[in-house]
Coordinates of all heavy atoms in Angstrom, one line a residue:
M26 N 9.0 2.0 36.3 CA 9.6 2.1 35.0 C 10.4 3.4 34.9 O 10.0 4.4 35.5 CB 8.5 2.1 33.9 CG 7.8 0.8 33.7 SD 8.9 -0.5 33.2 CE 9.1 -0.1 31.5
G27 N 11.5 3.3 34.3 CA 12.3 4.5 34.1 C 13.4 4.6 35.1 O 14.3 5.4 34.9
D28 N 13.4 3.9 36.2 CA 14.4 4.0 37.2 C 15.5 3.0 36.8 O 15.3 1.9 36.2 CB 13.9 3.6 38.6 CG 12.9 4.7 39.1 OD1 13.2 5.9 38.8 OD2 12.0 4.3 39.8
D29 N 16.7 3.4 37.2 CA 17.9 2.5 36.9 C 18.2 1.6 38.1 O 19.3 1.1 38.1 CB 19.1 3.3 36.5 CG 19.0 3.9 35.1 OD1 18.2 3.4 34.3 OD2 19.7 4.9 34.8
A30 N 17.3 1.5 39.0 CA 17.6 0.7 40.2 C 16.3 -0.1 40.6 O 15.2 0.3 40.2 CB 18.1 1.6 41.3
A31 N 16.5 -1.1 41.4 CA 15.4 -1.9 41.9 C 15.3 -1.8 43.4 O 16.3 -1.6 44.1 CB 15.6 -3.4 41.6
L32 N 14.1 -1.8 43.9 CA 13.9 -1.7 45.4 C 13.6 -3.1 45.9 O 12.7 -3.8 45.4 CB 12.7 -0.8 45.7 CG 12.9 0.7 45.5 CD1 11.6 1.4 45.8 CD2 14.0 1.2 46.3
I33 N 14.4 -3.6 46.9 CA 14.2 -4.9 47.5 C 13.6 -4.6 48.9 O 14.2 -3.9 49.7 CB 15.5 -5.7 47.5 CG1 16.0 -5.9 46.1 CG2 15.2 -7.0 48.2 CD1 17.4 -6.4 46.0
D34 N 12.4 -5.1 49.1 CA 11.7 -4.8 50.4 C 12.3 -5.6 51.5 O 12.3 -6.8 51.5 CB 10.2 -5.2 50.2 CG 9.3 -4.8 51.3 OD1 9.8 -4.3 52.3 OD2 8.1 -4.9 51.1
F35 N 12.8 -4.9 52.6 CA 13.3 -5.5 53.8 C 12.4 -5.0 55.0 O 12.9 -4.7 56.1 CB 14.7 -5.1 54.0 CG 15.7 -5.9 53.2 CD1 16.2 -5.5 52.0 CD2 16.1 -7.1 53.7 CE1 17.1 -6.2 51.3 CE2 17.0 -7.9 53.0 CZ 17.5 -7.4 51.8
N36 N 11.1 -4.9 54.8 CA 10.3 -4.4 55.9 C 10.2 -5.3 57.0 O 10.3 -6.5 56.9 CB 8.8 -4.2 55.3 CG 8.7 -3.0 54.4 OD1 9.5 -2.1 54.4 ND2 7.8 -3.1 53.5
N37 N 10.2 -4.7 58.2 CA 10.1 -5.5 59.5 C 8.6 -5.6 59.8 O 8.0 -4.6 60.2 CB 10.8 -4.8 60.6 CG 10.8 -5.6 61.9 OD1 9.9 -6.4 62.1 ND2 11.9 -5.4 62.6
N38 N 8.0 -6.8 59.7 CA 6.6 -7.0 59.9 C 6.2 -6.8 61.4 O 5.0 -6.5 61.7 CB 6.1 -8.3 59.4 CG 6.2 -8.4 57.9 OD1 6.0 -7.4 57.2 ND2 6.4 -9.6 57.4
L39 N 7.1 -6.9 62.3 CA 6.8 -6.8 63.7 C 6.7 -5.3 64.1 O 5.8 -5.0 64.9 CB 7.9 -7.4 64.6 CG 8.0 -9.0 64.4 CD1 9.2 -9.5 65.2 CD2 6.8 -9.7 64.8
T40 N 7.5 -4.4 63.5 CA 7.4 -3.0 63.9 C 6.8 -2.1 62.8 O 6.7 -0.9 63.0 CB 8.9 -2.5 64.2 OG1 9.6 -2.6 63.0 CG2 9.5 -3.3 65.3
N41 N 6.5 -2.7 61.7 CA 6.0 -1.9 60.5 C 7.0 -0.9 60.0 O 6.7 0.0 59.4 CB 4.7 -1.2 60.9 CG 3.5 -1.9 60.3 OD1 3.6 -2.9 59.5 ND2 2.3 -1.5 60.6
E42 N 8.3 -1.2 60.3 CA 9.3 -0.3 59.8 C 9.6 -0.6 58.3 O 9.7 -1.7 57.9 CB 10.6 -0.6 60.6 CG 11.7 0.4 60.5 CD 12.9 0.0 61.4 OE1 12.6 0.0 62.6 OE2 14.0 -0.1 60.9
K43 N 9.7 0.5 57.6 CA 10.0 0.4 56.1 C 11.5 0.5 55.9 O 12.1 1.5 56.2 CB 9.3 1.5 55.4 CG 7.7 1.5 55.5 CD 7.2 0.3 54.7 CE 5.7 0.4 54.7 NZ 5.1 -0.8 54.0
N44 N 12.0 -0.6 55.3 CA 13.4 -0.6 54.9 C 13.5 -1.2 53.5 O 12.9 -2.2 53.2 CB 14.3 -1.4 55.9 CG 14.4 -0.8 57.2 OD1 14.9 0.3 57.3 ND2 13.9 -1.5 58.2
Y45 N 14.3 -0.6 52.7 CA 14.5 -1.1 51.3 C 16.0 -1.1 51.0 O 16.8 -0.2 51.4 CB 13.9 -0.2 50.3 CG 12.4 -0.1 50.5 CD1 11.8 0.9 51.2 CD2 11.5 -1.1 49.9 CE1 10.4 1.0 51.4 CE2 10.2 -1.0 50.1 CZ 9.6 0.0 50.8 OH 8.2 0.1 51.0
L46 N 16.4 -2.1 50.2 CA 17.7 -2.1 49.6 C 17.5 -1.7 48.2 O 16.7 -2.2 47.5 CB 18.3 -3.5 49.6 CG 19.6 -3.7 48.9 CD1 20.8 -2.9 49.6 CD2 20.0 -5.2 48.8
V47 N 18.3 -0.7 47.7 CA 18.3 -0.2 46.4 C 19.5 -0.9 45.6 O 20.6 -0.7 46.1 CB 18.4 1.3 46.3 CG1 18.3 1.8 44.8 CG2 17.2 2.0 47.1
A48 N 19.2 -1.6 44.6 CA 20.2 -2.3 43.9 C 20.3 -1.9 42.4 O 19.2 -1.7 41.8 CB 20.0 -3.8 44.0
T49 N 21.5 -1.8 41.9 CA 21.6 -1.4 40.5 C 23.0 -1.9 40.0 O 23.9 -2.1 40.8 CB 21.6 0.1 40.3 OG1 21.6 0.4 38.9 CG2 22.7 0.8 41.0
T50 N 23.1 -2.2 38.7 CA 24.3 -2.5 38.1 C 24.2 -2.2 36.6 O 23.2 -2.5 36.0 CB 24.7 -4.0 38.4 OG1 26.0 -4.2 37.8 CG2 23.8 -5.0 37.8
D51 N 25.3 -1.7 36.1 CA 25.4 -1.4 34.7 C 26.6 -2.1 34.1 O 27.7 -2.1 34.7 CB 25.6 0.1 34.4 CG 24.3 0.9 34.7 OD1 23.2 0.5 34.3 OD2 24.5 2.0 35.4
L52 N 26.4 -2.8 33.0 CA 27.6 -3.4 32.3 C 28.1 -2.4 31.3 O 27.4 -2.1 30.3 CB 27.1 -4.7 31.6 CG 28.2 -5.4 30.8 CD1 29.4 -5.8 31.7 CD2 27.6 -6.6 30.1
L53 N 29.3 -1.9 31.5 CA 29.9 -1.0 30.6 C 30.9 -1.7 29.7 O 31.7 -2.5 30.3 CB 30.6 0.2 31.3 CG 29.6 1.0 32.2 CD1 30.4 2.0 33.0 CD2 28.5 1.6 31.5
I54 N 30.9 -1.5 28.4 CA 31.8 -2.2 27.5 C 32.9 -1.3 27.1 O 32.6 -0.1 26.7 CB 31.0 -2.7 26.2 CG1 29.6 -3.3 26.6 CG2 31.8 -3.5 25.3 CD1 29.6 -4.7 26.9
Q55 N 34.1 -1.8 27.1 CA 35.3 -0.9 26.9 C 35.2 -0.2 25.5 O 35.4 1.0 25.5 CB 36.6 -1.7 27.0 CG 37.8 -0.9 26.8 CD 39.1 -1.7 27.0 OE1 39.1 -2.9 27.0 NE2 40.2 -1.0 27.0
K56 N 34.9 -0.9 24.5 CA 34.9 -0.2 23.2 C 33.7 0.7 22.9 O 33.7 1.5 22.0 CB 35.1 -1.2 22.0 CG 33.9 -2.2 21.8 CD 34.2 -3.1 20.7 CE 33.1 -4.1 20.5 NZ 33.3 -5.0 19.4
H57 N 32.7 0.6 23.8 CA 31.5 1.4 23.6 C 31.3 2.6 24.6 O 30.8 3.6 24.3 CB 30.2 0.5 23.7 CG 30.1 -0.5 22.6 ND1 29.9 -0.2 21.3 CD2 30.2 -1.8 22.7 CE1 29.9 -1.3 20.6 NE2 30.1 -2.3 21.4
H58 N 31.8 2.4 25.8 CA 31.5 3.3 26.9 C 32.7 4.1 27.4 O 32.6 5.0 28.2 CB 30.9 2.6 28.1 CG 29.6 2.0 27.7 ND1 29.5 0.6 27.6 CD2 28.4 2.5 27.5 CE1 28.2 0.3 27.3 NE2 27.5 1.5 27.2
F59 N 33.9 3.8 26.9 CA 35.1 4.5 27.4 C 36.0 5.0 26.2 O 36.2 4.3 25.2 CB 36.0 3.5 28.2 CG 35.2 2.9 29.3 CD1 34.7 1.6 29.2 CD2 35.0 3.5 30.5 CE1 34.1 1.0 30.2 CE2 34.4 2.9 31.6 CZ 33.9 1.7 31.4
P60 N 36.5 6.2 26.4 CA 37.5 6.7 25.4 C 38.7 5.8 25.3 O 39.1 5.3 26.4 CB 37.8 8.1 25.9 CG 36.8 8.5 26.8 CD 36.3 7.2 27.4
L61 N 39.4 5.7 24.2 CA 40.5 4.9 24.0 C 41.7 5.2 25.0 O 42.4 4.3 25.4 CB 41.1 5.0 22.6 CG 40.2 4.4 21.5 CD1 40.7 4.6 20.1 CD2 40.0 2.9 21.8
Q62 N 41.8 6.5 25.4 CA 42.9 6.9 26.2 C 42.7 6.6 27.7 O 43.6 6.8 28.5 CB 43.3 8.4 26.0 CG 42.3 9.4 26.4 CD 41.2 9.6 25.4 OE1 41.0 8.9 24.5 NE2 40.5 10.7 25.6
M63 N 41.5 6.2 28.1 CA 41.2 5.9 29.5 C 42.1 4.8 30.1 O 42.2 3.7 29.4 CB 39.8 5.6 29.7 CG 39.0 6.7 30.3 SD 37.3 6.1 30.8 CE 36.7 7.6 31.5
S64 N 42.6 4.9 31.3 CA 43.3 3.9 31.9 C 42.3 2.9 32.5 O 41.1 3.2 32.7 CB 44.2 4.4 33.0 OG 43.4 4.9 34.1
F65 N 42.8 1.7 32.9 CA 41.9 0.7 33.6 C 41.4 1.3 34.9 O 40.2 1.1 35.3 CB 42.6 -0.6 33.8 CG 42.8 -1.3 32.5 CD1 44.1 -1.5 31.9 CD2 41.7 -1.9 31.8 CE1 44.2 -2.2 30.7 CE2 41.9 -2.5 30.6 CZ 43.2 -2.7 30.1
F66 N 42.2 2.0 35.6 CA 41.8 2.7 36.9 C 40.6 3.6 36.6 O 39.6 3.6 37.3 CB 42.9 3.4 37.5 CG 42.5 4.1 38.8 CD1 42.5 3.4 40.0 CD2 42.2 5.5 38.8 CE1 42.1 4.1 41.2 CE2 41.8 6.1 39.9 CZ 41.7 5.4 41.1
Q67 N 40.7 4.4 35.6 CA 39.7 5.4 35.2 C 38.4 4.7 34.8 O 37.3 5.1 35.1 CB 40.2 6.3 34.1 CG 41.3 7.3 34.6 CD 41.9 8.0 33.4 OE1 42.1 7.5 32.3 NE2 42.3 9.3 33.7
M68 N 38.6 3.6 34.1 CA 37.4 2.8 33.7 C 36.6 2.3 34.9 O 35.4 2.3 35.0 CB 37.7 1.7 32.7 CG 38.1 2.2 31.3 SD 38.4 0.8 30.2 CE 40.2 0.9 30.0
G69 N 37.4 1.7 35.9 CA 36.8 1.2 37.1 C 36.1 2.4 37.9 O 35.0 2.2 38.4
W70 N 36.8 3.5 37.9 CA 36.2 4.7 38.6 C 34.8 5.1 38.0 O 33.9 5.3 38.6 CB 37.2 5.8 38.5 CG 36.7 7.0 39.4 CD1 36.0 8.1 38.9 CD2 37.0 7.3 40.7 NE1 35.8 9.0 39.9 CE2 36.4 8.5 41.1 CE3 37.7 6.6 41.7 CZ2 36.5 9.0 42.3 CZ3 37.8 7.1 43.0 CH2 37.2 8.4 43.3
K71 N 34.8 5.1 36.6 CA 33.6 5.5 35.9 C 32.5 4.4 36.2 O 31.3 4.8 36.4 CB 33.9 5.6 34.4 CG 32.6 5.9 33.6 CD 32.8 6.1 32.1 CE 31.5 6.4 31.4 NZ 31.7 6.6 30.0
A72 N 32.8 3.1 36.1 CA 31.9 2.1 36.4 C 31.2 2.2 37.7 O 30.0 2.1 37.9 CB 32.5 0.7 36.2
V73 N 32.0 2.5 38.7 CA 31.5 2.7 40.1 C 30.6 4.0 40.1 O 29.5 4.0 40.7 CB 32.6 2.8 41.1 CG1 32.1 3.3 42.5 CG2 33.3 1.5 41.3
T74 N 31.1 5.1 39.5 CA 30.4 6.4 39.6 C 29.0 6.3 38.9 O 28.1 6.9 39.5 CB 31.3 7.5 38.9 OG1 32.5 7.5 39.5 CG2 30.6 8.8 38.9
V75 N 28.9 5.7 37.8 CA 27.6 5.6 37.1 C 26.6 4.9 38.0 O 25.4 5.2 38.0 CB 27.6 5.1 35.7 CG1 28.5 6.0 34.8 CG2 28.1 3.7 35.6
N76 N 27.0 3.8 38.7 CA 26.1 3.1 39.5 C 25.8 3.8 40.8 O 24.7 3.8 41.3 CB 26.7 1.7 39.8 CG 26.6 0.8 38.6 OD1 25.6 0.3 38.4 ND2 27.7 0.6 37.9
V77 N 26.8 4.5 41.4 CA 26.5 5.3 42.6 C 25.5 6.4 42.3 O 24.7 6.8 43.1 CB 27.8 5.8 43.2 CG1 27.5 6.9 44.3 CG2 28.6 4.7 43.8
S78 N 25.6 7.0 41.1 CA 24.7 8.1 40.7 C 23.3 7.5 40.6 O 22.3 8.2 40.9 CB 25.2 8.8 39.4 OG 25.0 8.0 38.3
D79 N 23.1 6.3 40.1 CA 21.8 5.7 40.1 C 21.2 5.5 41.5 O 20.0 5.7 41.7 CB 21.9 4.3 39.4 CG 22.1 4.4 37.9 OD1 22.0 5.5 37.3 OD2 22.5 3.4 37.3
I80 N 22.1 5.1 42.4 CA 21.6 5.0 43.8 C 21.2 6.4 44.4 O 20.2 6.5 45.0 CB 22.8 4.4 44.7 CG1 23.1 3.0 44.2 CG2 22.4 4.4 46.1 CD1 22.1 1.9 44.4
A81 N 22.1 7.4 44.1 CA 21.8 8.7 44.6 C 20.5 9.3 44.0 O 19.7 9.9 44.7 CB 22.9 9.7 44.3
A82 N 20.2 8.9 42.7 CA 19.0 9.4 42.1 C 17.7 8.8 42.7 O 16.7 9.4 42.7 CB 19.0 9.0 40.6
M83 N 17.9 7.7 43.4 CA 16.8 7.1 44.1 C 16.7 7.6 45.6 O 15.8 7.2 46.3 CB 17.0 5.5 44.2 CG 17.0 4.9 42.8 SD 15.4 4.9 42.0 CE 14.5 3.7 42.9
G84 N 17.6 8.5 46.0 CA 17.6 9.0 47.3 C 18.1 8.1 48.3 O 17.8 8.2 49.5
A85 N 19.0 7.1 47.9 CA 19.5 6.1 48.8 C 21.0 6.4 49.1 O 21.6 7.2 48.5 CB 19.3 4.7 48.2
K86 N 21.5 5.7 50.2 CA 22.9 5.8 50.6 C 23.6 4.6 50.1 O 23.2 3.5 50.5 CB 22.9 5.9 52.1 CG 24.3 5.9 52.7 CD 24.2 5.9 54.2 CE 25.5 5.4 54.8 NZ 25.4 5.2 56.2
P87 N 24.7 4.7 49.3 CA 25.4 3.6 48.9 C 26.1 2.9 50.0 O 26.7 3.5 50.9 CB 26.5 4.1 47.9 CG 26.1 5.6 47.7 CD 25.2 6.0 48.8
V88 N 26.0 1.5 50.1 CA 26.7 0.8 51.1 C 27.5 -0.4 50.5 O 28.2 -1.0 51.3 CB 25.7 0.2 52.2 CG1 25.0 1.3 53.0 CG2 24.7 -0.7 51.5
G89 N 27.4 -0.6 49.3 CA 28.2 -1.6 48.6 C 28.1 -1.4 47.1 O 27.5 -0.5 46.6
I90 N 28.7 -2.3 46.3 CA 28.6 -2.2 44.9 C 28.5 -3.6 44.3 O 29.0 -4.6 44.7 CB 29.9 -1.5 44.3 CG1 29.8 -1.3 42.8 CG2 31.2 -2.3 44.7 CD1 29.7 0.1 42.4
L91 N 27.6 -3.7 43.3 CA 27.5 -4.9 42.4 C 28.3 -4.6 41.2 O 28.3 -3.6 40.6 CB 26.0 -5.1 42.0 CG 25.0 -5.3 43.1 CD1 23.6 -5.3 42.6 CD2 25.3 -6.6 43.8
I92 N 29.1 -5.6 40.8 CA 29.9 -5.4 39.6 C 29.6 -6.4 38.5 O 29.4 -7.6 38.8 CB 31.4 -5.7 40.0 CG1 31.8 -4.6 41.1 CG2 32.3 -5.6 38.8 CD1 33.2 -4.8 41.6
S93 N 29.4 -5.9 37.3 CA 29.2 -6.7 36.1 C 30.4 -6.5 35.2 O 30.7 -5.4 34.9 CB 27.9 -6.3 35.3 OG 26.8 -6.5 36.1
L94 N 31.1 -7.6 34.9 CA 32.3 -7.5 34.1 C 32.3 -8.4 32.9 O 31.8 -9.6 33.0 CB 33.6 -7.9 34.9 CG 34.0 -7.0 36.1 CD1 35.1 -7.7 36.9 CD2 34.4 -5.7 35.6
A95 N 32.7 -7.9 31.8 CA 32.9 -8.7 30.6 C 34.4 -8.5 30.3 O 34.8 -7.5 29.8 CB 32.1 -8.3 29.4
I96 N 35.2 -9.5 30.7 CA 36.7 -9.4 30.6 C 37.2 -10.2 29.4 O 36.9 -11.4 29.3 CB 37.3 -9.8 31.9 CG1 36.8 -9.0 33.1 CG2 38.8 -9.8 31.8 CD1 37.2 -9.5 34.4
P97 N 38.0 -9.6 28.6 CA 38.6 -10.4 27.5 C 39.6 -11.4 28.1 O 40.2 -11.2 29.1 CB 39.3 -9.4 26.6 CG 39.5 -8.2 27.5 CD 38.4 -8.2 28.5
P98 N 39.7 -12.6 27.4 CA 40.5 -13.7 28.0 C 42.0 -13.3 28.0 O 42.8 -13.9 28.8 CB 40.3 -14.8 27.0 CG 39.6 -14.3 25.8 CD 39.0 -13.0 26.2
N99 N 42.4 -12.3 27.2 CA 43.8 -12.0 27.1 C 44.2 -10.8 28.0 O 45.3 -10.2 28.0 CB 44.2 -11.7 25.7 CG 43.5 -10.5 25.1 OD1 42.4 -10.1 25.6 ND2 43.9 -10.0 24.0
L100 N 43.3 -10.3 28.9 CA 43.5 -9.2 29.8 C 44.6 -9.6 30.8 O 44.4 -10.6 31.5 CB 42.3 -8.7 30.5 CG 42.4 -7.5 31.4 CD1 42.7 -6.2 30.5 CD2 41.2 -7.3 32.2
A101 N 45.6 -8.8 30.9 CA 46.7 -9.1 31.9 C 46.1 -8.9 33.3 O 45.3 -8.0 33.6 CB 47.9 -8.2 31.7
L102 N 46.6 -9.7 34.3 CA 46.1 -9.6 35.7 C 46.4 -8.2 36.2 O 45.6 -7.7 37.0 CB 46.8 -10.7 36.5 CG 46.5 -10.7 38.0 CD1 45.0 -10.9 38.2 CD2 47.2 -11.8 38.7
E103 N 47.6 -7.7 35.9 CA 47.9 -6.3 36.4 C 46.9 -5.3 35.9 O 46.6 -4.4 36.7 CB 49.3 -5.9 35.9 CG 50.5 -6.8 36.5 CD 50.6 -8.1 35.7 OE1 50.2 -8.2 34.5 OE2 51.2 -9.1 36.3
S104 N 46.4 -5.4 34.7 CA 45.4 -4.5 34.2 C 44.1 -4.7 35.0 O 43.4 -3.7 35.3 CB 45.2 -4.7 32.7 OG 46.3 -4.5 32.0
F105 N 43.7 -5.9 35.2 CA 42.5 -6.2 36.0 C 42.6 -5.6 37.4 O 41.7 -5.0 37.9 CB 42.2 -7.7 36.1 CG 41.1 -8.0 37.0 CD1 39.8 -7.9 36.6 CD2 41.3 -8.6 38.3 CE1 38.7 -8.2 37.4 CE2 40.3 -8.9 39.1 CZ 39.0 -8.7 38.7
E106 N 43.8 -5.8 38.1 CA 43.9 -5.3 39.4 C 43.9 -3.8 39.5 O 43.5 -3.2 40.5 CB 45.2 -5.9 40.0 CG 45.2 -7.3 40.3 CD 46.5 -7.9 40.8 OE1 47.5 -7.3 40.6 OE2 46.4 -9.0 41.4
E107 N 44.3 -3.1 38.4 CA 44.3 -1.7 38.4 C 42.9 -1.2 38.5 O 42.5 -0.2 39.1 CB 44.9 -1.1 37.1 CG 45.0 0.4 37.0 CD 45.6 0.9 35.7 OE1 46.3 0.1 35.0 OE2 45.3 2.1 35.4

């Protein structure tokens, strides 16, 4: 409790080696989590940063990213790609 990440057990039963995948994802909402003047690039950067910081807080090394998106139907493709 209190951690922003989950540990997924990837232990090797043959060698007793302890391996874990640390997984986390935060859904950030534009009107709640970002200042109005932020660009889409900056919003994407922040979304990655808050999740990477959760991984670092668990003492793990980031190797990928899980993305949760709530995209308005009228968002231009160029804005999404940014």
Side-chain angles (χ1 to χ4, degrees):
M26 290 297 284
D28 292 326
D29 285 341
L32 291 177
I33 301 168
D34 190 350
F35 279 96
N36 291 333
N37 184 333
N38 292 331
L39 297 176
T40 63
N41 257 352
E42 192 174 304
K43 297 287 185 184
N44 291 299
Y45 298 94
L46 174 67
V47 179
T49 185
T50 185
D51 290 315
L52 176 62
L53 302 178
I54 314 273
Q55 185 177 10
K56 66 181 180 178
H57 297 292
H58 297 106
F59 304 100
L61 292 175
Q62 67 274 18
M63 253 190 179
S64 70
F65 289 110
F66 177 84
Q67 290 169 325
M68 286 186 252
W70 187 270
K71 179 180 177 178
V73 170
T74 302
V75 299
N76 285 282
V77 169
S78 70
D79 290 345
I80 299 291
M83 298 291 289
K86 174 184 160 190
V88 294
I90 185 112
L91 298 171
I92 299 174
S93 297
L94 292 173
I96 300 172
N99 61 344
L100 182 70
L102 180 59
E103 296 79 23
S104 297
F105 173 77
E106 288 175 342
E107 183 182 341

